[in-house]
Amino acid sequence: DGNVWITDSVRNNFRTLARLDPLNGQVTGYKLAEADGRRAQGSHGITKDLNGILWFNSSGSLARLDPATESFELYTPPRPLNVGGSLQVDGKGKVWVGNRHGALQFDPDTKEFNYFQNKTIGDGQTYGTAADRLGNGWWAQFNMDIVGHANGTTGEVSEVHMRPPGALDRETLLTPDDLDFFHRIGAMRFSGSVFNPGGQAPRRMFADPQGDSMWVANWGGQNLAEINIETLEPTYYQLPIEAHPYATAVDRNHMVWTNL
């Protein structure tokens, strides 16, 4: 309908989401109240389905807002599973969202979650999540330089390792003590901005809803990775400037956008 929807991750008493009407600049807040009725639940990632329904994550659950009725619904996966990170709706109408050690698929018809766990067990930092037109899910293992892939039909989990041609050969150049250190800290350590040599640190990603490509923002590697959704083969595109891509989005002309 031409409106802009905004999440609000800062705790407050007034709004969970905001709608901006670009024609007149009016901003309207929508509040999903916490149990005490006073505070608004926070929100972080957001997406919409083909029917214009908005889906977002809130306090470890998956939330739904129908803009027509302005009514919320909340769906909580079985604990200890939690909903987090970014979201995307696949070509079959299912919602995919991140979980600490993998991804979750939610079926709006049955109201059920399916859990897909990392094939390689890591430190539990799923960052971005995406879903393609074939009904498959994708998620970034930020600290492990791995993009997870779940076949939405068979349930099989596979992975794509982020290793651009010409990336630093850690095994050849580093001592065993170096390798052990970087293995323990992951792709990077925020506190000191320590990068694993050659680390790609995949963050947020997006699958072309009408195409065959899933696009990954490799923050540490300063490149975009294009993964073919049928062959799982990656192709890498280095940024023309020295900068770190954080997220990707694909427009209706299949053009890819990233923020730095």
Side-chain angles (χ1 to χ4, degrees):
D1 295 325
N3 295 308
V4 180
W5 289 87
I6 306 162
T7 57
D8 198 334
S9 60
V10 178
R11 295 287 300 280
N12 66 86
N13 294 337
F14 311 106
R15 71 183 190 187
T16 301
L17 299 177
R19 184 189 67 196
L20 166 66
D21 184 340
L23 296 180
N24 56 27
Q26 168 121 17
V27 177
T28 305
Y30 292 83
K31 179 179 178 179
L32 175 59
E34 292 189 344
D36 61 11
R38 185 175 67 88
R39 302 281 281 176
Q41 289 196 187
S43 57
H44 194 85
I46 190 169
T47 192
K48 67 177 179 62
D49 62 26
L50 294 177
N51 298 315
I53 301 298
L54 298 164
W55 297 89
F56 61 97
N57 62 303
S58 180
S59 301
S61 297
L62 178 65
R64 173 189 188 274
L65 174 65
D66 184 342
T69 63
E70 300 185 353
S71 59
F72 286 102
E73 293 181 23
L74 198 65
Y75 305 98
T76 302
R79 297 305 189 213
L81 298 177
N82 281 283
V83 169
S86 55
L87 309 84
Q88 191 173 359
V89 178
D90 68 26
K92 300 182 179 180
K94 294 181 173 60
V95 185
W96 291 80
V97 66
N99 175 261
R100 183 171 174 80
H101 294 285
L104 291 165
Q105 175 204 62
F106 180 77
D107 187 331
D109 295 326
T110 65
K111 309 294 189 294
E112 293 180 345
F113 287 93
N114 285 322
Y115 173 49
F116 299 88
Q117 186 172 325
N118 294 336
K119 189 172 182 180
T120 298
I121 304 301
D123 63 355
Q125 189 163 353
T126 296
Y127 210 97
T129 314
D132 63 38
R133 64 176 180 82
L134 301 177
N136 305 315
W138 303 79
W139 62 97
Q141 290 180 256
F142 175 80
N143 268 336
M144 302 198 54
D145 290 346
I146 292 173
V147 172
H149 170 265
N151 186 306
T153 302
T154 67
E156 180 184 3
V157 174
S158 53
E159 53 191 25
V160 180
H161 291 256
M162 295 287 94
R163 292 288 177 86
L168 188 64
D169 187 347
R170 291 171 288 195
E171 285 71 20
T172 300
L173 297 178
L174 302 181
T175 68
D177 285 344
D178 290 335
L179 288 170
D180 179 63
F181 169 73
F182 285 114
H183 175 75
R184 285 185 284 110
I185 72 163
M188 79 160 289
R189 172 164 287 176
F190 281 106
S191 59
S193 296
V194 178
F195 274 95
N196 187 327
Q200 299 302 305
R203 296 191 102 157
R204 299 195 183 279
M205 46 199 187
F206 196 87
D208 187 337
Q210 306 298 327
D212 296 329
S213 298
M214 207 281 301
W215 292 89
V216 185
N218 279 328
W219 196 73
Q222 301 186 39
N223 65 73
L224 297 183
E226 177 187 13
I227 303 176
N228 184 285
I229 64 174
E230 299 201 38
T231 66
L232 307 191
E233 288 297 319
T235 303
Y236 300 90
Y237 302 92
Q238 200 71 26
L239 266 60
I241 59 174
E242 185 149 339
H244 301 283
Y246 180 79
T248 59
V250 182
D251 67 24
R252 64 184 178 180
N253 297 318
H254 309 287
M255 299 294 286
V256 186
W257 297 79
T258 186
N259 56 330
L260 311 172

